[in-house]
Amino acid sequence: MKPVPLPESSPSSASNSSHPDNVASNSAEIGVPRPLGPRPLRVTHAVLSLDAGGLERMVLDLIDQARVQGHRADALCLERPGLLADQARKRGARVISLDKRLGVRPWMIRQARRALKDLKPDLVHTHQIGVLAYVGPAAWSLGIPVLHTEHGKHYHRRGTRWLGRVAARFAGIFCAVSQDIAEAAVAHRVVPARNVQVVPNGIPRQVYETVDPGEVATLRRDLDLPPEARIVGTVGRLDPVKRQDRLILGFERLLDRVPSARLVIVGEGPSRPDLEHLIAARGLGSLVHLAGYQNHPERWYNLFDVFVLTSASEGHPLSVLEAWASGKAVVASRVGGLPELIEEGRTGLLYDADDLDGLARCLAELLDDPETADALGAAGRARVAREFDAAGMFTRYIRLYQKLISHLVCP
């Protein structure tokens, strides 16, 4: 079986029909469908790794939802298994790592092909364009359809744009987690607008809705937080794009207005040494806590009075949804898909990414006015329940899976 080729899918054909306003919101035009009755599906999620991050946790949620709804999902890791691989296995997934080294390795396509022959999926779901470049051709050679999800904007460099245009040819449906990301892919002629779907992330919200006062008290005690401390917190990979350095500098300015404030940063990553040096250099060692990677981040959201995200680029971050599901007000930089996600003054506050005074002002406003913070958090929680539940996300994907499989024709 071979996928039906996409009509006019070459990058050159995207110039007229690929305006961002034309990005599809319901279905991709991939030919004339053939009826397909509901049946259990076997899906392989292809990722760089299952390291701790929003993309990877979203894949775990998809694996979990597949199990709950009677399907099967496995994981193919291009570079390494990652910290979350064991959690994927506990959810019933097989995890195969190709152990690709850095650099261009064309022969990895053959290894991906062998892995897919072993996993025998009905469909491959790739995440990030670099993964699609290797796993897409492997799947195509076996007649396995590919659905791709893009989680960020990576096309500012010519080489990445070229890679995206070539790799996208192997995706029957090209998804993005936010309108902002979809429009970027279309604007850079990576994919025609008619083939792009926007499928927002979802989370298992019930996990975040339960508050255990005993756990919160334990965390405060473990961090040696004084009773009067007001907690600003964030959860995410310690990475330059997350700009936790600017968070620390903005927090320093916040102390002039809210001396009782404390900052808790949950996560691990390559920026940790630089952040530790910055904290020490600014004399903030007793006020800023690097909590490291946590298996159960939901426990930490309940510790926070306000959640903050200071990224230089974001799509549709899980951490904002998790903070909302925990009933927390959100302060975030006005970048990427965040203005699309956050209704300013209703579900959170936004500030210009380079405005440290603006960051401090937003944080102080909510710490000084708990009633407003609670109202923003409650509105965010209601929105997650309406729009961003993990089961709803999986339902949207399963419909696209079935749509894509129904467009296969037998030789």
Side-chain angles (χ1 to χ4, degrees):
M1 300 175 71
K2 294 286 185 185
V4 175
L6 295 178
E8 300 182 25
S9 60
S10 66
S12 62
S13 69
S15 57
N16 294 326
S17 60
S18 298
H19 190 277
D21 290 344
N22 296 326
V23 172
S25 60
N26 294 314
S27 62
E29 298 176 12
I30 51 177
V32 180
R34 178 168 55 85
L36 177 71
R39 63 179 179 85
L41 295 180
R42 189 160 186 161
V43 178
T44 290
H45 290 278
V47 295
L48 286 176
S49 75
L50 286 173
D51 278 333
L55 180 163
E56 294 80 9
R57 286 188 290 126
M58 175 261 212
V59 170
L60 282 187
D61 290 336
L62 288 174
I63 290 171
D64 202 36
Q65 288 295 319
R67 177 183 57 81
V68 169
Q69 298 192 33
H71 304 279
R72 170 66 186 261
D74 299 308
L76 175 60
C77 301
L78 194 61
E79 294 181 348
R80 58 191 176 279
L83 287 170
L84 302 181
D86 284 343
Q87 292 190 41
R89 295 185 183 102
K90 289 177 182 177
R91 288 163 166 80
R94 286 184 64 192
V95 178
I96 294 178
S97 176
L98 301 182
D99 299 327
K100 174 187 171 295
R101 292 180 295 167
L102 292 176
V104 179
R105 312 285 178 183
W107 55 88
M108 298 302 299
I109 295 173
R110 292 195 300 273
Q111 290 187 229
R113 188 178 192 276
R114 284 196 291 269
L116 292 177
K117 289 181 72 174
D118 184 19
L119 292 167
K120 299 180 176 63
D122 297 303
L123 178 139
V124 172
H125 187 163
T126 58
H127 302 266
Q128 300 297 53
I129 204 71
V131 176
L132 178 60
Y134 287 96
V135 181
W140 180 85
S141 73
L142 296 170
I144 302 170
V146 176
L147 181 145
H148 177 70
T149 295
E150 197 59 40
H151 297 257
K153 295 188 292 186
H154 311 287
Y155 304 116
H156 55 283
R157 291 185 300 180
R158 180 183 299 178
T160 307
R161 290 196 296 274
W162 178 86
L163 176 67
R165 291 167 187 171
V166 172
R169 294 171 179 268
F170 294 98
I173 296 177
F174 190 106
C175 297
V177 299
S178 71
Q179 188 74 17
D180 177 66
I181 292 172
E183 291 174 359
V186 170
H188 288 294
R189 300 170 58 208
V190 171
V191 64
R194 62 181 172 275
N195 291 340
V196 180
Q197 308 292 308
V198 176
V199 182
N201 289 332
I203 61 169
R205 58 186 175 84
Q206 294 83 358
V207 172
Y208 298 89
E209 292 176 348
T210 302
V211 178
D212 184 340
E215 278 189 347
V216 174
T218 298
L219 290 175
R220 292 186 75 100
R221 185 173 59 250
D222 291 346
L223 295 175
D224 196 24
L225 297 171
E228 71 278 6
R230 309 303 308 284
I231 312 303
V232 174
T234 192
V235 177
R237 180 171 167 78
L238 305 186
D239 187 274
V241 75
K242 299 298 184 181
R243 295 312 305 264
Q244 287 102 347
D245 57 334
R246 300 194 71 80
L247 171 55
I248 292 167
L249 295 175
F251 170 77
E252 184 179 31
R253 301 188 184 197
L254 170 67
L255 293 171
D256 292 335
R257 296 182 58 172
V258 187
S260 63
R262 299 293 186 273
L263 176 60
V264 177
I265 300 174
V266 177
E268 197 56 80
S271 291
R272 186 181 185 106
D274 291 336
L275 297 177
E276 290 175 334
H277 181 268
L278 177 61
I279 292 167
R282 309 300 290 195
L284 298 173
S286 63
L287 305 179
V288 179
H289 303 270
L290 299 180
Y293 168 72
Q294 300 293 329
N295 276 322
H296 298 284
E298 65 274 9
R299 299 171 181 170
W300 291 79
Y301 286 101
N302 292 323
L303 172 68
F304 306 155
D305 292 295
V306 176
F307 174 83
V308 61
L309 188 64
T310 53
S311 301
S313 176
E314 281 289 353
H316 195 273
L318 293 186
S319 59
V320 169
L321 308 184
E322 292 164 352
W324 279 344
S326 304
K328 302 302 177 181
V330 171
V331 172
S333 50
R334 192 179 281 105
V335 299
L338 289 172
E340 171 191 340
L341 177 62
I342 298 170
E343 294 180 75
E344 187 159 16
R346 178 168 174 78
T347 58
L349 300 179
L350 297 170
Y351 72 97
D352 293 335
D354 293 327
D355 184 4
L356 296 182
D357 289 327
L359 169 58
R361 186 166 55 250
C362 289
L363 293 172
E365 180 178 336
L366 295 180
L367 291 177
D368 288 339
D369 187 355
E371 288 187 5
T372 295
D374 289 345
L376 295 178
R381 173 178 279 180
R383 189 171 180 209
V384 169
R386 290 193 311 269
E387 302 177 37
F388 303 127
D389 184 73
M393 173 184 65
F394 181 78
T395 297
R396 287 189 284 271
Y397 274 122
I398 203 74
R399 288 171 180 165
L400 291 174
Y401 294 164
Q402 291 170 335
K403 180 180 179 68
L404 188 53
I405 291 171
S406 75
H407 287 79
L408 296 177
V409 293
C410 296

